Amino acid sequence: MARPTGRTQSRYVCQACGESFLRWEGQCRNCAAWNTLVETLVREPGPAARRASRPAAAAGAEPVALRSIADADVPRLGVGIGELDRVLGGGIVPGSIVLIGGEPGIGKSTLLLQAAAGLAGTAGTHVLYATGEESAAQVRLRAGRLGLLDGPAGDGIRVVAESDVGRVVELARAGRPALVVVDSVQTATVAELDGAAGSVGQVRESALRLMELAKGDGIAVVLVGHVTKDGTLAGPKTLEHLVDAVLELAGDRYASLRLVRATKNRFGSTEEIGVFEMGERGLDEVADPGRAFLVEHDDPAPGSVVAPVLEGTRALLVEVQGLVAPAGYGTPMRKASGVDANRLALLVAVLGRRAGVGLGSHDVHANLAGGLAVNEPGLDLPLALALASSFRDRPIAPGTVAVGEVGLLGELRAVAGIERRLREAARLGFRRAIVPRSPRGGRGGPAPGSAGLDIVEVGTLRDAVRASLAETD
Ligand code: TYD
Ligand code: MG
C-alpha cells in the first residue's frame, strides 16, 4: 500500500512516561512501569503531511487582534435528526472528527446509519460508510429494517466492508463524500503496524490518519468506539483529546430508552442531551423527554419517589426506587444501579446516624427507572427518601418530587437550577416538591412557573423524612 509522505518508523512508546524504544520490553527502562510499551508509528512528516495536519496554522502566520478575526460562521451538515443535531451543536462541522462511544449493542451503528441517511437526503451529498465489524450485506439488512433502502439513502450511502484505514482514506479522497463513518475504530488497522486491531497503537494511528483526512480534505469523519461499562476497553478513551467532539450513547440495553450526551464538543456546548427510544424501526426521537423516565403506577408503592434531575440544560423527571430488606447473614448488601454506589453507602450511614432510619442490618438496593444513570448531588435526597419509605413501608404521596444534596451532618443543601427543575415538575402535573430550605440571603419563595406546586422547604434529612412520610395514611 502507498506510504504516506515522510519516513515512517515504528517505535515502542511507553504510555506512562512517553519514552520510546526500538524494541518491545516488558518493563519501561525509563520509568520502570510494567507492560506500558505500545508499538507506535513515528513519522517525520513530509511538507504535504505537515500542511495537512495543521491547516489553520499556515507557516508564518501572524497574530491577529481578537476583535479583528472574521466571525466565521461554522457551516453545519444537518443529519436530519433533531435530537442528534442539537447535541452536536447544530449538525456536524465539515472537516471535523467526532467519536461516538457506547457499549456494544447499544445502537451506535443504528444511529449512525440513520444519521448518514439524513445527510444523504440532502442534495448532492453522499456518505462513505466503512464497516469493519459487519459485512455490506449486514448493513443492507439493517438499512432495510430501518426503511432506508428506497429513500435517497439507498443511493447516497456507499458501503464498504473495509478495515484498512489507508484504503478508506484513498476511497474518501477519490469519492469526496461529505461524511465518512468508520464503524468501528477498534477494527480499523494501519498496514504499517504489526499490532492487532484494537490495540492502542492501531487505534491511535488509525484515528490520526483519519484526522489528517478530515482536516486536510474538509471531510467530516465519525468514528465508532466500543466502551464497556467498567471502561476496560480503553482504546477509545485514548482518542478523546484528539477528536473535536466525543458523544456518548448510553442506556440500558434491555430497556428502550437511549441518551446521547456530548462529553466534549469544540463546536458546541456539552450541555445538551438527546433522548431516543429504540423501536422496531431504529431510534426514534422522544417527543417529551421530561416525562420519558417516569413510570406509571396504579397504587403508590413504598420505596419510590420522583426526582427532577438536570441533564445539561434539560430537566428530566426520573423515578428513584429503593428496596430495604432484612439481611440474611454476613455483611448486608448495598447494590446500586444508575446511582453512585459510594453515595448510596454514605446516605445509608447518614440515614442511620442523623435521621433515625437504621439500615445497618438490612440489604439495600437502589435503582433508577428506565435504565438512566445519573451522577449529581441533587439525587441524594430522593434516594434517601426512597430508602426511608421502603424501610418504614410507607409510600410517599403520589405527585411528590424531591431534590437536594445531603451533607454528612444530615443537613440539606440547595442544588443548581432549582427553578428549572420545579418548572418541569409543575408542567408534568406534580403537586408537591420537597426541597432544601433556600440559603439565607438567597431568593426565597416559589420558583416562577412552578405555580400549583406546593413547595415544602426542609433543613435536615430528618425533617424531610418526616414531611414526606407523614401525610400518607
Ligand atoms: P446496533 O446499532 O448494532 O448496536 P452497536 O452498533 O452499538 O453495537 O444495535 C444493536 C441492537 O439494537 C440490536 O440488539 C438490535 C436493536 N435494534 C432494534 O431494536 N431496532 C432496530 O430497528 C435496529 C436496527 C436494531
Ligand atoms: Mg455496531
Side-chain angles (χ1 to χ4, degrees), residues 102-111 133-134 142 145-146 183 224 226 249 253 258 278-283:
E103 287 179 59
I106 201 77
K108 299 180 293 299
S109 303
T110 306
L111 184 63
E133 304 221 322
E134 296 162 311
R142 180 180 295 118
R145 190 169 163 186
L146 299 173
D183 188 359
V224 173
H226 294 296
L249 185 59
R253 197 141 55 95
R258 301 285 184 277
M278 179 67 92
E280 280 295 300
R281 303 192 61 179
L283 289 159

Side-chain angles (χ1 to χ4, degrees), residues 408-473:
L408 290 186
L409 306 180
E411 84 280 19
L412 299 184
R413 301 196 198 120
V415 290
I418 189 76
E419 280 105 353
R420 222 173 322 143
R421 300 175 198 249
L422 296 185
R423 223 180 299 137
E424 186 68 2
R427 185 180 76 80
L428 294 178
F430 285 88
R431 293 183 300 279
R432 201 164 74 117
I434 300 176
V435 300
R437 183 171 299 143
S438 7
R440 244 181 306 153
R443 304 201 293 126
S450 58
L453 209 56
D454 173 17
I455 293 175
V456 184
E457 293 197 350
V458 280
T460 63
L461 185 54
R462 188 183 290 272
D463 289 346
V465 170
R466 204 175 295 141
S468 60
L469 298 180
E471 288 171 13
T472 57
D473 39 307

Side-chain angles (χ1 to χ4, degrees), residues 99-109 133 183-186 223-229 233 236-237 240 246-251 253 258-259 261:
L99 173 69
I100 175 156
E103 287 179 59
I106 201 77
K108 299 180 293 299
S109 303
E133 304 221 322
D183 188 359
S184 68
V185 72
Q186 272 113 347
L223 302 175
V224 173
H226 294 296
V227 187
T228 49
K229 226 173 209 146
L233 256 177
K237 278 270 168 219
E240 288 186 352
V246 180
L247 304 190
E248 182 188 278
L249 185 59
R253 197 141 55 95
R258 301 285 184 277
L259 226 65
R261 287 191 183 95

